[in-house]
Amino acid sequence: MIFEERLDVILDTLNKEKKISNKDLIKKLEVSESTLRRDLDHLVEDGKIKRVHGGAVLNIEAEELSFDTNELTNPTSKREIAKKAASLVEDKMVIFLDGGSTCNLVIDYLRGKDIRVVTHGLMHMAKLMENNIPTTLLGGDIKVKTKVNLGLVTLDQLSNYSFDIAFLGANGYDKDYYYTADINEAILKKTAAKLSEKAYILADSSKENLIYHARICKIDECELIREDK
């Protein structure tokens, strides 16, 4: 088994089992202890896993980046994703636009379309008004770090809608789930997806195999749009 295949097997196993012993990995991969150590060291350096006594676990992310920080990361990939997302929007649609930097870029490509946007993203409002896009801003408690409204009020108002399309952000994804750092944001995203005819996750390839504690939904419940898909 070649190097890349071994890494895929390790990550796939951890995605399913969350933790595995070195002994079991050596048996599964049919490699020496020194080869396994090099493979695991490579995944640690990539930030994919953490070494624990006698084995390895997935590297579950704890830190949530602010909107201002996210806005500066991978701008080219995010803009490509935004173009793909906007191309799916047709006149007369009502769309849910999640908070986040990639969703914010979608607005740049919606000018002139006869649509209505519903959002909880405070960061979107200036662009939406500049582009003369009819918009409903959901109320709720302001979360300053990610510049969105959240909470019971937000969910209650959201429940009054049905959407043609929902565009949702995610902090990470693997072969099983989409993830975010805040359980309240995860609940809102999941709800918006259920209220939509079609729901899309907008996430670039750097977020693959980044795992957070809050699950948004299973991977087959939303379609992923990323720069190379």
Side-chain angles (χ1 to χ4, degrees), residues 154-168:
T154 316
L155 284 171
D156 182 63
Q157 293 181 6
L158 178 65
S159 67
N160 293 315
Y161 290 90
S162 60
F163 303 105
D164 296 292
I165 290 178
F167 293 128
L168 308 171

Side-chain angles (χ1 to χ4, degrees), residues 117-131:
V117 168
V118 178
T119 184
H120 68 134
L122 300 171
M123 76 290 288
H124 300 329
M125 298 314 297
K127 274 190 181 182
L128 288 165
M129 289 187 290
E130 288 169 5
N131 288 340

